[in-house]
Amino acid sequence: MDPCVLVEKVDGVGILTLNRPDQLNAMNHQLSTELHDGVVRLTADDEVGCIVITGAGTRAFSAGGDIHEQREDDRRYAQAELDTRNAVRSRGSYEISASPKPTIGMINGLAYGGAAVLASSLDMRVGCEHASFRFLAAAYGRINSTWTLPNQVGWPVAKELLFSARVVEAEEAQRIGLLNHLVPCAELRSKTMGRTLEEQWTNERNYTTKVRGAKAEAAFPEFIARRGRPPSS
C-alpha cells in the first residue's frame, strides 16, 4: 500500500506531504492516521525544530474528508463503531494542533472542510495564489473550528465564514489573517523553507543546547549585568 503521507527532513525542518493528488489529497482514514503518526514522530525527533504540512500536486492542500470512504463507512459500520473512528480522528487532530513544536501550513491549493480546520489549527500558514479556504460544516448542519479559526481571524469574521461556508480566496485570506504570507506559487517552498526557518532552528537549537538546565546566573548574564541585584541572604 502506497503511503498517503510522505515524511522528510530538511535542515532541521520536518515536512509532511499529504500524498493523494489524484483525489485532491482527500483525508481518508489511512491519510489521517499517517498524518497523526508523522507529527508524533517528528515531535519526538530532537533533530526537528519545526513541522511543515503541505499537499502533493498543484491543485490542493487537501479537499477535506474523503466523502467516498465516508459513504462506504456509513454502510459498513454501526453508529457506535463510526463514533469510535471519529473520536480517534478527532483526538489525532487535537494532538497535531497541540504539538509543542511550531507547525506551519504550506498551502499550495484549496483547503476545504476538514483540511481548512487542519490549516486553521496550525501555528502559521504560508500560501500561494492558488490557495483558498472553505469551512463547510454549516452546509450539512454542523459547526466546527470554533476553537481554532477565531484565534486567526477574530470572532466576527470567523462566524461569517462558519455560518456561510463560502470560499475565501488567497488575497482575502491574507487580509483577514488566515494566511500569514502570500507568495507566488513558484516560490512557495523556497519562501516557506527559506533562511528564516533555518536561522530560527539554529538559534533555538543553540538555545536549548546552551541554556536548557542552566542556572539563572549562566542563562541570563547580560540581564544580570544590567539589572541584577545581590542575592538575598
Side-chain angles (χ1 to χ4, degrees):
M1 184 179 297
D2 293 333
C4 287
V5 174
L6 305 179
V7 183
E8 58 180 315
K9 293 193 296 184
V10 179
D11 297 321
V13 178
I15 306 172
L16 299 171
T17 302
L18 313 183
N19 188 40
R20 301 183 72 212
D22 292 341
Q23 294 80 30
L24 299 181
N25 302 317
M27 301 168 70
N28 63 1
H29 183 74
Q30 180 186 345
L31 186 149
S32 297
T33 300
E34 291 180 12
L35 177 61
H36 168 256
D37 292 348
V39 170
V40 170
R41 170 181 156 190
L42 293 176
T43 297
D45 190 334
D46 289 338
E47 295 182 354
V48 172
C50 175
I51 299 171
V52 172
I53 300 176
T54 191
T58 60
R59 298 172 61 195
F61 175 76
S62 171
D66 188 326
I67 303 302
H68 299 297
E69 182 184 73
Q70 291 174 15
R71 291 181 66 199
E72 289 298 319
D73 287 350
D74 288 344
R75 286 193 282 265
R76 183 181 304 164
Y77 301 114
Q79 188 60 50
E81 294 172 291
L82 291 172
D83 291 343
T84 298
R85 290 170 67 88
N86 289 334
V88 171
R89 182 180 291 113
S90 296
R91 182 65 189 179
S93 298
Y94 168 77
E95 291 178 0
I96 291 171
S97 68
S99 170
K101 295 183 177 178
T103 53
I104 300 177
M106 187 158 65
I107 312 299
N108 57 305
L110 60 85
Y112 284 7
V117 177
L118 169 65
S120 73
S121 73
L122 304 177
D123 295 313
M124 291 173 277
R125 287 151 302 284
V126 181
C128 68
E129 60 264 32
H130 294 163
S132 62
F133 300 85
R134 192 178 182 196
F135 297 86
L136 281 165
Y140 47 90
R142 299 180 184 176
I143 289 292
N144 55 21
S145 301
T146 56
W147 57 284
T148 57
L149 186 60
N151 293 330
Q152 319 302 336
V153 303
W155 272 108
V157 175
K159 288 179 181 180
E160 176 189 342
L161 300 184
L162 296 177
F163 295 166
S164 68
R166 68 175 178 83
V167 175
V168 182
E169 301 290 356
E171 289 189 2
E172 181 186 6
Q174 183 190 29
R175 177 173 57 79
I176 65 178
L178 198 49
L179 284 178
N180 296 77
H181 300 283
L182 177 58
V183 302
C185 287
E187 301 175 17
L188 180 59
R189 184 179 175 100
S190 64
K191 293 292 186 182
T192 306
M193 300 292 297
R195 293 296 303 171
T196 301
L197 278 181
E198 294 179 29
E199 291 170 359
Q200 180 178 330
W201 163 229
T202 299
N203 292 338
E204 290 176 356
R205 180 171 52 189
N206 289 341
Y207 176 86
T208 55
T209 299
K210 297 176 181 177
V211 177
R212 180 183 292 168
K215 301 298 183 182
E217 292 281 349
F220 305 103
E222 295 178 359
F223 174 83
I224 292 172
R226 293 196 319 270
R227 304 288 297 278
R229 57 177 181 262
S232 58
S233 57

